[in-house]
Amino acid sequence: MRDVFLPRSLEKLWTYLDESPGALVFAGGTDLLVKTFNGFPEGEALVCLDRIDELKEICQQGESIWIGACATHSGMVASRLVRNTLPALWKAVGEIGSPPVRNMGTIGGNICTASPAGDTLPPLYAMKAEVEILCREGARRLPIAQFIHGPGATGLQKAEIVSAVRIPKPQGLNLQHFEKVGLRSALACSVASLAALARLSPDRVVEEVSLAWGSVAPTVFTCPQAEETLVGRPLCAASLREAAEIVRHRVRPISDVRADAEYRRTVAGNLLLRLGTLS
Amino acid sequence: MKTTMIEVGYPAARFDARSKVSGEEKFAIDYSREAILWAGARRAAMAHAMVRGIDTSRARALPGVHAVLTREDVPGTNRQGIIHKDQPVLAGSRVRHCGEPLALVLAEDRDVLEKALGMIEVDLEPLEAVFDAAEALGADAVRVHESGNLLHKAVIKVGDAGGAFDRCDVVIEDSFEVPGQDHAFLEPQNGLAWQREDGRISMIVSTQAPFRDRFEIAHALGLDPGAIHIVSPCLGGGFGGKDGATVQCLLALGAMRAGGRPVKMVWGREESFNAGYKRHPVRMWYRVGAMRDGTLQCIHCKLIYDTGPYAHLGVEVMALGMEHACGPYRVPNTLVEGWCVHTNNPVSGAMRGFGVCQATFGIESMMDLLASKLGMSRLDIRLKNALRRGDKNGAGITLVNSTGILPCLETLGGHRLFQESEQWKKLAGPYKKRGVGIAATWNAIGYGRGLPDSAIARVELTREGKIRIYSSVSDMGQGNSSAFVQMAGQILTQDASHLEIIQPDTDLAHPSGSSSAGRTTYTFGNALIAACEEMKEKLLHRASLLLMLDEPAGLALLPGIIKHLPSGREIPFDLLGRLFPESDRMAVKQFVMPVARDTLESENEFKLGFPHLLFSYGAHLAYVEVDELTGKTEVKEYLCVTEGGRVINPACFDQQVHGAVVQGLGYGLMEEVLTRQGKILNPNFTNYIIPTSMDVPDITSLCVETEETTGPFGMKGIGEVGMNAPLPAIAGGVEDALGCRINRSPLTAARVLAALDARGVNR
Amino acid sequence: MKISFHLNAKEVSVDVAADRKLVRVLREDLALTGTKEGCGAGECGACTILVDGDPRLSCLMTVAQIQDRHVTTIEGLAANGEAHPVQEAFIEKGAIQCGFCTPAMVLASVALLDKNPDPTRGEIREGLSGNLCRCGGYVKIVDAVEAAAIAIRRGNPK
């Protein structure tokens, strides 16, 4: 049997973590508890963050949006701030799992799970989000691309938690898009996804673009070469096809039970073509 | 309660709706008793191996472990199976599939159970294995059984298929492949059993065949079938996967060694996948010949069914598939060859559509191909060849009973969705392609010749004055018990409040066949009608005694009473119930389904389960949209027209059709048991995906009524027929959209995208 | 460990291992078998309960997590023995087949209508997309939720 701690404040959290340094920290439990109920890993206490109110807030802080680690996906879907200022993230969280999973799962959990298929990750990468990390001694921040090291691997140290994600407010980006390809229309794990943010001139010339793919490499895949190909040219099928070709050459997908690498490679490129159809 | 009207033909609320919507209905998994022991099986996780040893000592020593049983502890033959008794309860010397059980643990709680299962040390010596049914037929293939890998080879032959091809204007050929499908019922295989002081074993179990279970358990464990008592509460889904022993033999074995304590076994979802039965993977080759005007002349096909290492109902599944392999069409010359083959893949068995939905993909695809080849419409070619009453079908059976495929197709053709297909296709958005597919379907009902399809119904007037039906066929959700209540209410003029139904209990009800084969409501319903009529007669005669009437003339059954209409005098049911002994308050009647009478050239190819007399029919249409960038295929609209004789309850009829269609859409679009070296790669709902509410459209279900004169109130079973058409309809829609046909199911995004790329579709 | 919470509007406490799966405590310790365990991994939704009004998966929760929370299971939905309008609509519209997914489906529908009293069919489908039904085609369930929405709006005029 494991202890389950439910700290109601950060102060209490640090005490628990001092007492049980090997404790497993979680918020919604949609990922971790599947494992612990199957007995893995053994023995460690569980610490649930979801009663620490200060970790649940969603607010604007200067030119950034601050989303507490324990904000649930449903909470983000319901947030007008997220919907209006971060539409790509809003779309992504709305497609995670299913309604009950979204009521439980949190953005902090999605980041810490660091799955290549984590649905919030491509938009967070595309928006150059920073992860806020907290321990008793203080806070630090890391760009999300530095925080996530690989599948399931992050830069989180012992006795640290992710407290929030800070997302620079997209400025003047009039195209904000997210598309997830799953094997069905709900309750699906992504087999490829694309977050795209761009500033288009009135005649649809790409002035700035940021792209990030999920599920096509060990971590979220970004592709400056494809971005460069698009910048300065009208967003049209021809330029997108060129960029798609570059992407297909550079992604490093795996084959698994959900899709083979070849499919992921093709679709990673194809998803760019959709941008040409968006108004 | 809002509606108590239950007359036959009216969409009455289901009899079980209120208890299910309130959470009160108890499924087998919800039963518990004092001091239960939890049972679990240690499984091989290796597809083919010799058992060198099983060391249970560590597990036995674990506190909380009550017993660890292996092959040596199994009395009797240790072989279970519905017809072929070939599947070990616990494997002792050889393992033939990954889900094979090697040891049974009884433990005080689930945690201890899990731990103990992990502590059993199993020493297996891997053997070469065979995973491809075609390969398994080779002379030098690895042998799954000493007797070889061919469980059964059969040929259905009508006319002269060989010679007839020469006389055809067109001949086309193609091959198809379908994978295994999991039933994915939400209530996993489970049960609760205990041995009583008199030695009898009682079992509450999620089963489709309570009466047959007694024999299967008795044979496997060397028991007297009369000493086994099965109770079958409502099932949380079955679809064929709970037809034949799942937990039964293991549970009974556990109960025999539990010192009178109750033993509960619940398969986890992964175990449900790994150890449960599957729909047969099938490979098909078809050759079809026709005249220029589209008239079918001959069909030759070869079907290879992968039945896994044990027979289950493999031969019967193949027999039914072969019987339907030529579709609901008039084909004078047919040659259908089938091989039912052992491999080390998961065990295949019964599933809704029972061999037919595989073959329907083959024949309906061929009909589409033939239509394109001849420049005919897909509907016209089907209309031209559709069976009519009096025709012989492709297996040589004369259709002397209701035969409704033609009106189904005509209704489809007249429907708005068919008429508006072309307009709808033109409205596809960017990177979207649209197509429309149709398919005809049929499905036999009943066991077929050689195995009496029987049911015995018992109705009783209780002391409290209610009419009680003792159902002996399980309700796995299809609503048969509700239909029984409606039928009894109709004959005895009772409303729902005066009727009760008892779910199957082998100590209370009379033996009947399984809940399967589209025969549950048909066969038991016919028996029930006879029993209710006898009951009615009896009630009227007993009432006339009490009313001192010379004869029952003028007496009428009304809800809860018998009334003498001329005088207005009444006898309440409860008075009757109290005045007559139990033996007089009941009626028991048997019904056996009629069988086909033709003498066939292929008569003796199957010992049982062939051929069939009665069929239900359907015609389906799918609006399909393909995304060219991802290959994702969506069904946007779905129409199905079904003929199943008369309809007892239109709401339940639609439920069955909708459910079959959605299982068919899953089969067509996403469901596939993936294996490597016989091991299931997706033994969970994360990766074995079934449709959610977002994956299927609103379904339009229409009914074409005929009168099946042998059926209860003119009905036939329609639980299965809807399952067979979605896959070919989708495949036809995809072909219409993209111009390429995909002959391997399911039509996943990856397969569709690969087909698009192969055609060099310019993106 | 003693865990106290509000269960179907009653205060209860249980003395169980803190890390037990909530669905099993509900079913095995509290005999509330209307909540089902279909997959044990959050993929089927049969274990859906309402926690403080929101649908959650009781197979992905430790019992400790409901300390002080308000939990509604299907058994607690019919206040004063009177069926909830969603339950009535499920009966009337033929939304029930084997019934194994039904309690969870009903609770998910209740929560959906609490948040969105006038949903489109598409919104209903999305709201129920975490609850697998293997017997039906979802059509009648969507019909039922639509009908329940109307009934509830009629019953609670704004």
Side-chain angles (χ1 to χ4, degrees), chain C:
Chain C
M1 185 177 162
K2 195 173 157 199
I3 292 145
S4 303
F5 60 106
H6 305 268
L7 176 62
N8 298 329
K10 281 194 202 103
E11 280 184 41
V12 297
S13 63
V14 288
D15 196 2
V16 292
D19 66 341
R20 290 246 337 259
K21 223 183 239 203
L22 176 56
V23 62
R24 295 197 177 163
V25 174
L26 291 172
R27 289 175 53 79
E28 292 164 16
D29 297 39
L30 296 165
L32 296 175
T33 53
T35 307
K36 310 298 182 191
E37 184 173 359
C39 72
E43 292 286 349
C44 78
C47 66
T48 303
I49 55 168
L50 303 183
V51 177
D52 296 340
D54 285 331
R56 287 180 184 239
L57 301 169
S58 61
C59 80
L60 289 186
M61 292 180 78
T62 61
V63 62
Q65 286 170 269
I66 53 164
Q67 174 73 40
D68 303 330
R69 301 278 199 220
H70 290 259
V71 171
T72 307
T73 67
I74 191 68
E75 291 87 352
L77 193 61
N80 325 316
E82 202 174 302
H84 188 282
V86 168
Q87 291 174 306
E88 286 296 346
F90 267 59
I91 296 170
E92 285 297 309
K93 293 289 172 184
I96 299 150
Q97 294 184 234
C98 87
F100 203 77
C101 74
T102 303
M105 198 69 85
V106 166
L107 290 172
S109 304
V110 168
L112 166 71
L113 293 179
D114 272 352
K115 288 239 154 68
N116 181 358
D118 188 14
T120 63
R121 288 182 79 81
E123 286 166 345
I124 295 169
R125 283 185 178 276
E126 194 188 340
L128 302 180
S129 60
N131 294 84
L132 296 177
C133 164
R134 186 56 159 169
C135 293
Y138 298 106
V139 181
K140 287 174 179 288
I141 293 171
V142 178
D143 291 347
V145 178
E146 267 189 324
I150 293 168
I152 292 170
R153 289 203 305 275
R154 280 198 189 129
N156 308 312
K158 287 208 174 114

Side-chain angles (χ1 to χ4, degrees), chain B residues 243-570:
Chain B
D243 190 6
T246 55
V247 296
Q248 286 89 327
C249 299
L250 291 169
L251 260 181
L253 175 65
M256 290 163 75
R257 300 293 293 265
R261 290 176 67 180
V263 178
K264 189 169 169 79
M265 183 179 215
V266 177
W267 288 3
R269 185 51 61 182
E270 192 165 327
E271 186 172 26
S272 171
F273 272 94
N274 287 331
Y277 308 110
K278 302 284 168 285
R279 183 188 299 290
H280 285 71
V282 180
R283 286 206 196 163
M284 297 167 269
W285 169 88
Y286 267 85
R287 189 165 187 228
V288 174
M291 304 314 287
R292 199 161 285 116
D293 68 354
T295 310
L296 287 171
Q297 279 300 311
C298 45
I299 294 178
H300 178 195
C301 60
K302 300 180 184 189
L303 312 173
I304 303 177
Y305 284 73
D306 177 350
T307 203
Y310 302 114
H312 193 270
L313 286 170
V315 178
E316 294 67 36
V317 166
M318 178 177 83
L320 202 71
M322 291 173 67
E323 190 177 343
H324 291 73
C326 299
Y329 305 114
R330 241 179 344 268
V331 195
N333 306 290
T334 63
L335 176 59
V336 180
E337 299 177 81
W339 292 260
C340 195
V341 186
H342 286 305
T343 64
N344 297 110
N345 286 324
V347 184
S348 301
M351 186 172 178
R352 187 185 216 167
F354 205 85
V356 182
C357 72
Q358 295 96 324
T360 305
F361 182 39
I363 182 63
E364 288 303 299
S365 299
M366 295 307 285
M367 293 303 280
D368 283 357
L369 290 169
L370 192 60
S372 339
K373 182 102 179 174
L374 293 169
M376 285 178 80
S377 92
R378 290 173 174 181
L379 181 62
D380 286 345
I381 199 153
R382 288 174 168 88
L383 284 167
K384 181 161 200 89
N385 293 291
L387 288 166
R388 293 153 203 261
R389 197 166 183 160
D391 287 341
K392 274 192 176 191
N393 69 20
I397 301 303
T398 312
L399 298 171
V400 292
N401 291 64
S402 52
T403 305
I405 183 60
L406 201 58
C408 286
L409 288 164
E410 285 166 353
T411 304
L412 180 145
H415 193 271
R416 173 185 68 81
L417 287 172
F418 183 81
Q419 306 276 338
E420 293 171 1
S421 299
E422 291 307 314
Q423 285 148 270
W424 179 77
K425 280 165 23 183
K426 286 189 194 122
L427 297 174
Y431 295 118
K432 302 282 184 190
K433 284 270 191 293
R434 289 177 167 186
V436 175
I438 63 169
T441 168
W442 60 331
N443 209 104
I445 73 168
Y447 294 157
R449 221 146 70 182
L451 181 63
D453 188 313
S454 159
I456 305 173
R458 167 180 168 193
V459 290
E460 185 183 309
L461 175 70
T462 65
R463 278 182 65 81
E464 294 72 34
K466 297 221 176 177
I467 300 290
R468 179 181 288 166
I469 303 159
Y470 289 90
S471 173
S472 48
V473 280
S474 307
D475 194 324
M476 49 180 159
Q478 75 270 49
N480 49 304
S481 1
S482 241
F484 300 152
V485 169
Q486 282 187 271
M487 291 178 184
Q490 179 86 10
I491 296 168
L492 299 170
T493 326
Q494 299 303 306
D495 59 23
S497 66
H498 292 92
L499 293 157
E500 294 176 357
I501 186 159
I502 306 290
Q503 292 301 326
D505 178 321
T506 59
D507 278 3
L508 299 176
H510 293 247
S512 294
S514 51
S515 182
S516 64
R519 48 84 60 187
T520 314
T521 305
Y522 174 97
T523 307
F524 187 86
N526 269 324
L528 179 65
I529 286 173
C532 287
E533 269 158 6
E534 185 177 291
M535 176 61 83
K536 180 176 182 175
E537 189 74 12
K538 195 178 259 190
L539 291 173
L540 293 177
H541 277 95
R542 300 301 180 270
S544 58
L545 284 181
L546 295 178
L547 291 167
M548 308 234 224
L549 299 168
D550 294 331
E551 49 169 35
L555 284 179
L557 284 171
L558 295 174
I561 57 168
I562 295 168
K563 189 165 186 174
H564 185 243
L565 297 176
S567 66
R569 288 185 300 157
E570 295 176 4

Side-chain angles (χ1 to χ4, degrees), chain A residues 184-220:
Chain A
R184 64 181 164 189
S185 298
L187 268 176
C189 184
S190 110
V191 295
S193 63
L194 169 66
L197 288 87
R199 191 168 71 238
L200 304 182
S201 72
D203 49 355
R204 289 182 72 77
V205 170
V206 178
E207 295 171 348
E208 183 188 342
V209 64
S210 179
L211 305 168
W213 284 261
S215 306
V216 293
T219 59
V220 167

